[in-house]
Amino acid sequence: MTGLFGALALDRSLTSLLARWRDLSSAAGFLAQAPSTPDLAPGDLDMLAGAMRESLEARGGEVSARARAAALGQVYLKLSTLGRCRFLGLLARDFGADPRALSDAARRYLEAASTEQRAEAERALREAAEAPRVRLLTRFTSLPAGVKFLVDMRTDLLAMQGDDPVLRALDWDLRHLLATWFDVGFLELRRITWDSPASLLERLVTYEAVHEVRSWSDLKNRLDADRRVYAFFHPRMPGEPLIFVQVAFTRGIADNVQTLLDETAPVLDPRAADTAIFYSITNTQEGLRGISFGNFLIKRVVDDLGAEFPGIEVFSTLSPVPGFLRWLRRLDQGAVAQAAGLVEEDAEALAPLLAVPDWQQDPQLAEALREPLLRLCARYIAGPGAETGKEVQASAFDPVARFHLGNGARVERLNWLGDTSPKGMRQSAAIMVNYRYESGEIERNHERFAATHAVALSPAVEKLLRPVRRRRPAGLARLLQQRQPDPQPDPTAHESV
Amino acid sequence: MTGLFGALALDRSLTSLLARWRDLSSAAGFLAQAPSTPDLAPGDLDMLAGAMRESLEARGGEVSARARAAALGQVYLKLSTLGRCRFLGLLARDFGADPRALSDAARRYLEAASTEQRAEAERALREAAEAPRVRLLTRFTSLPAGVKFLVDMRTDLLAMQGDDPVLRALDWDLRHLLATWFDVGFLELRRITWDSPASLLERLVTYEAVHEVRSWSDLKNRLDADRRVYAFFHPRMPGEPLIFVQVAFTRGIADNVQTLLDETAPVLDPRAADTAIFYSITNTQEGLRGISFGNFLIKRVVDDLGAEFPGIEVFSTLSPVPGFLRWLRRLDQGAVAQAAGLVEEDAEALAPLLAVPDWQQDPQLAEALREPLLRLCARYIAGPGAETGKEVQASAFDPVARFHLGNGARVERLNWLGDTSPKGMRQSAAIMVNYRYESGEIERNHERFAATHAVALSPAVEKLLRPVRRRRPAGLARLLQQRQPDPQPDPTAHESV
Amino acid sequence: MTGLFGALALDRSLTSLLARWRDLSSAAGFLAQAPSTPDLAPGDLDMLAGAMRESLEARGGEVSARARAAALGQVYLKLSTLGRCRFLGLLARDFGADPRALSDAARRYLEAASTEQRAEAERALREAAEAPRVRLLTRFTSLPAGVKFLVDMRTDLLAMQGDDPVLRALDWDLRHLLATWFDVGFLELRRITWDSPASLLERLVTYEAVHEVRSWSDLKNRLDADRRVYAFFHPRMPGEPLIFVQVAFTRGIADNVQTLLDETAPVLDPRAADTAIFYSITNTQEGLRGISFGNFLIKRVVDDLGAEFPGIEVFSTLSPVPGFLRWLRRLDQGAVAQAAGLVEEDAEALAPLLAVPDWQQDPQLAEALREPLLRLCARYIAGPGAETGKEVQASAFDPVARFHLGNGARVERLNWLGDTSPKGMRQSAAIMVNYRYESGEIERNHERFAATHAVALSPAVEKLLRPVRRRRPAGLARLLQQRQPDPQPDPTAHESV
Amino acid sequence: MTGLFGALALDRSLTSLLARWRDLSSAAGFLAQAPSTPDLAPGDLDMLAGAMRESLEARGGEVSARARAAALGQVYLKLSTLGRCRFLGLLARDFGADPRALSDAARRYLEAASTEQRAEAERALREAAEAPRVRLLTRFTSLPAGVKFLVDMRTDLLAMQGDDPVLRALDWDLRHLLATWFDVGFLELRRITWDSPASLLERLVTYEAVHEVRSWSDLKNRLDADRRVYAFFHPRMPGEPLIFVQVAFTRGIADNVQTLLDETAPVLDPRAADTAIFYSITNTQEGLRGISFGNFLIKRVVDDLGAEFPGIEVFSTLSPVPGFLRWLRRLDQGAVAQAAGLVEEDAEALAPLLAVPDWQQDPQLAEALREPLLRLCARYIAGPGAETGKEVQASAFDPVARFHLGNGARVERLNWLGDTSPKGMRQSAAIMVNYRYESGEIERNHERFAATHAVALSPAVEKLLRPVRRRRPAGLARLLQQRQPDPQPDPTAHESV
């Protein structure tokens, strides 16, 4: 027991505390040092509750109270998942608002008669509703990496909360606190280059979620003269990008990611470019889920690039379609045939053909699949409302589409064989989408999508959505027979579609 | 009208907006340019309410909403005091929580039965209690100097709120928001030197509230090798010190401020010093009233100096006693005689003698006044409880004493003729106090003062409080006769005591 | 003796040495501490020579040799002027090239027959000609402020060398060494603003040589939004500007310095300006005499401002004419009359009228003096060659004119009452000159001035040089009688003209 | 021709020039763009000579002269090796000192009679001996990367000069110029960490000459908490380390490099270390050959580490012995036997045994070789004087030994199997040496080595040098028979020993 709670016996000096906290997070050996009860036995919980209360009461002054919070942080870091769950449960259950005070305030609010009384009662209610745990959590900010600590604590919390209303209430508080601190007005936009710290670049490699960084030379290629990487940072989490975007300068809108990631491709003079392609946007902090920066990041970068390179007239993404094939597999055959403009027979051949290994390297097959799949994907991107004219839920959209359409972009083009990596094949039959940000229509698009989920489409994409008058055989069934795909296809490969 | 609200017709680009905002705050001519209705006519208020609502609904997207907030800020800056009062009144009255939703949430909370229901209802209540205006205010952070704008807006609000519960509710929100952002964990401690930007040093000159900075050479003297100035800064208000402290290295505890501020005094090698004297602490932002940094600042500086100069063993202030003579004038003669250890006759001479111009330069007079006034001042500093043993209100203490005693310092010494400047003479008959921070007793002192307002006193100060057995004539009455003070004493001089 | 040479007993550690050197230069008390023989007795000189030799031989390794150099520097700093003269004399006399080796090398060079032999002999001669003292001086660079130390040592040397060929040879070496280090390619151009360190701004105040800075608010005015100050810095003398230029943005070419220095004048938006006026250029380091930065500084600033403010089309100085009245006093009356276009009688009245106190405030008198003095000044600025057509010495020109004409500027305009400060009245009868830098003609002007000292003049200035056909009385003699100048004019006032 | 010399048609503006120069060095395509005569035809040389002369005469002013120098630099960059050789030949031949002026100065020096005359004549001789090309070369400094350009130009020159006295004279000038600029006093010591720019770390990987960096994770391991990397930088070559040293904190003196480079080894808390091991020192700029920084770097790092970690008491290298086996192969068998303490038969088996592949993995063999090879290596390190007592040439020493012994280190220990990498096996039979820097003896060791090449040895190493009384069979011959080394050993493997 002593081992685990030894940290609670405090020095008075914040300095020595900071040093200890630093040791704690840097010393590799620390986590190995087994705490006596990493799962938190009941007795431990009582001690912990006492320590939390002491910190809240600011016993010994505010500086000491923060030192106590640091010690609690140390304990937290040493705990097992179960222990952490109990630690957070304690915070959630025992350190909410005082029920009696809050009930009184609620009653007084309900009874308030005049404007003045209501204003006063509302204020009092707000005060009574404040959870003391928020004050406790705030105390971590004075520690080095204290803000990161809270962000990571919320990552833990999100993983364990499920439907538990008590933990969800704690999560609401933590999210609210983080949202206040991580307001976009407090963030710094920084360009990341090959001259940035290696430790920062290493984080990019780790975090990049869209197109995996394969090596340091892949990374260097993404930081070349015809590229830009921008990220938002918070002053209290320096060196930790919150979100970053990768941009390529091109002539014309890029239609595939293979070329963009080709390290041997020649470097374009950015002053000769007419287009900026946003080909990867990554949120890095799970603990900031629900706090949005992407919209701001894109618009700030569009502004900055527009000012630096007047020759750039087109701002567009080259985006994955992560939900396409999952959606397609759920569609019944009739709907597939209808949307793809195929006869039934061919429509039935679609799924098995997509299970043919490396079909994208078979020119005949790829050509035959091209139009039906593009039509289907257009249908998917445009969302259910495009067909029915009815208003739909945002959750019915592809998540990437939802993000860009919500920002006011329009669907510019669908790109066949845009991403032939295993992931691209698996998610979207290699199709990628360009979402275009055109300054003259961003607000209007945003408003319409926000109000009715009406999607802005380019003429080319609209054309893909037009119903085919009379469907003729496209030969897919025949191709399937020729390819004789493995009669007992690898079930996992199929499932992975 | 167009002139005033023209700013609401928005550019889409945040960049151009930022530029305009910059112009706005830097261009000296701006405030002179009379807006059409700087007092805000009723029609103006309707338009304003509309603009606020649009920003809240984030019409056109979050970036546009922030641009709208910036335009509102421009309008605010152009308003008269009356106009600002109406602007804030609008925010306070019309942008609080939704009464219906809040009432529902209050009722549901009161009805919640299980722990789970209560947790959920508490969370919902917290959410319903949030005032939309807080979201609106938050939008200013993305503008350059937006945080400073809000701090200054609160300065306005504090000046105008009086007892108005509606405005006070707005103030509560604003203070709460600022307190979350200005948590001491987000602040940076920086040393200020003669190598700091002149623009920053100019601010020190303007803000310094304790001992006026008379000239740049006075300032330079306070930044000499045997001095230190430290300040807290917020990342979003760079160049703007929030609070600063001035420290002098000395041998022995300094007993007067004249020597400290003497530009011709020799410079001490700080490594030869045994004492650090905190001789001025100034809060600079009225708009952050009620958000405390002083305690942290002192303890951080004590830690840092202790680490840098192991030879420094004593940390003490040299502080003014702003309320002493005001308190003394209210005391009845009997109490004065009792506390000062004087016979009635001499006690009655005290006030007229303090009205003798430049009495401090009359050695005989100064010597005669010395002990009685020190005894009285000790009584004042120690607070009413020292005598009665009863618990007392914090407001009964001298404000400077309350601050340091609350931090855990002890009253170390009272210094006769410690500050003979006109202000020092007027406030405290030139007496100054050393409050000493001794690491071994800070927590204990803090706890005792927090609990019972018991004051920690050095033996020397305790001695001043001991009642005098038998009071003998001190000759003050006689001295008064000799000085024949102006039979018709300057009434203002007397009053100013 | 111990006191003075104690420093030569060395620590091995460069660190502790650096600390000592730092103490030395920062501790105010040091210079007061009288060395035993600040004039350097003969015995001292022997010890010194020994220490120099040890440092040169790098006894104990190169690090120790530098430590020894530092100790020599300490000794130097403690010496009287006489002592320093002896110290430098020792360096000059005893630490030049080895006479025997140099004679041999000279002989071998004279005997070299083939190209190869000559190349080799030239190299060997160069090597033999190197003075060991240069190596010794170089060693100071590793000390903090070591470069500044050498610059200041040269300031001493310039003051004492007179015509002494031995000291002049040392000066040649030192200047050569400094010129190599202070090549303009190693300098950094930095803008100085009100956000610059106060310690740097204080140096500007001290150094400003053209128009004295009267106060911190005068200085702040010179750093306002419609001003720019730029300076060159050397990486090893940070915080020490080598040369700085003050620029004002104006509409039209400024014709007087009173307006520019008027703190109450309104601030111009620099984007509305069409002209940049260089109104002060100051070299700060006497020890860098003969190493020129001004040309580069002006052209870099012209480039930078041109890029930042495309609206600025005219780059011009507003310059003093420091030698005008001195030159005028030496001119014989006939030449004065001729150049001024005055009859003899009026020409004779000129000098006494200029001795009338505050004549510039007498409108009638000022108007009468205007044309004759402008004509004379144009004659002075244009140089002797303008009249005679013969080639002339550069030294015949006003030093400020020589600098700007040599840079390729042209004489644009002479400004009556351009500088009515006492210094302006005393030097140039208040006349100032605009030298204009026009990018299309800079090279041509430079070449012509460099080749023949032909001066580029604007048509307006050329007109002032045209001889007056028939000279009529200008009434100066009459005005003199009316003013009845003090019959016994203050001789110093006269002399000061 | 136009293509090649087009750059000589100059803009007046330095700004545009700088931009062009920047393009030049950054644009990858530049070098591919074939100049019309990259070998420099005779006509080209005349034009080039003309351009050089114009730059020297500063035609059009100093700024233009530097622009011209930049254009010359562009031409140089485009040339082939032959063209560069001719370019440098032109500089060397035609831009030395003026022969007539130098001859005159030489004669006048030889005739000088008095001290004054000699001082003056020496100064004049120095002036006349200055090569104009030095002024031309200096002009490059104002260009971005101009200093690096000159360093690289010297790299070219060193490769092509051979014994040509004309080119060697040019090299002397260039080295002299660079030595003045790269004086250690102008360099900045910086620590390199995982937070340093990736572009800088990439350079470390490229430059590292002692123990090849195999990957970014190998590099990261060398920047871990128990490591330090320090480098010297020049202010005008930022981002370009001139020399760097890699240090490991250990307990006890490290005896092999495998452990140090093991990425999986646990990280030591540096405060628990008692020893700092310098395990790699790399000079990066061939163009700075002959300008030494290593001595300073080591001593600065020793000072800094000693101040930061008082617990570190031992500073030692772990160094390769690059010349050992080459020396051994040249030794005759008798001397080998004598030094190794072996009988003849065993001595003869040495070389073939060292040719056995991977002998170090054969424990019996490795053990048998251990003592004889350590004895031989000690003999090699100690230098020829150790045996004979005679004074010897510095060139007789191992280059690494010469460097550290010259700095004042002593030979502390020889480490068997200290570096079993292919390179370590090939150069030194895997032996490594610890050179120890002990502050108390550095100066004495340095002096003795400088004077007589006497080598400081620890008792353990001295013991290895003591002659063996009676030599007994060590069994090497027998082992050789057992191993039956390939009867026709791979001749290259043998040669590589």
Side-chain angles (χ1 to χ4, degrees), chain D residues 30-61:
Chain D
F30 169 76
L31 290 169
Q33 177 195 327
S36 54
T37 57
D39 289 346
L40 281 185
D44 293 352
L45 272 173
D46 292 349
M47 289 193 58
L48 210 55
M52 286 174 177
R53 232 161 256 128
E54 286 203 338
S55 177
L56 269 172
E57 290 160 10
R59 289 281 300 280

Side-chain angles (χ1 to χ4, degrees), chain A residues 82-94:
Chain A
L82 177 57
R84 290 182 181 192
C85 195
R86 284 173 174 157
F87 185 107
L88 295 171
L90 178 65
L91 262 183
R93 230 176 21 249
D94 290 11

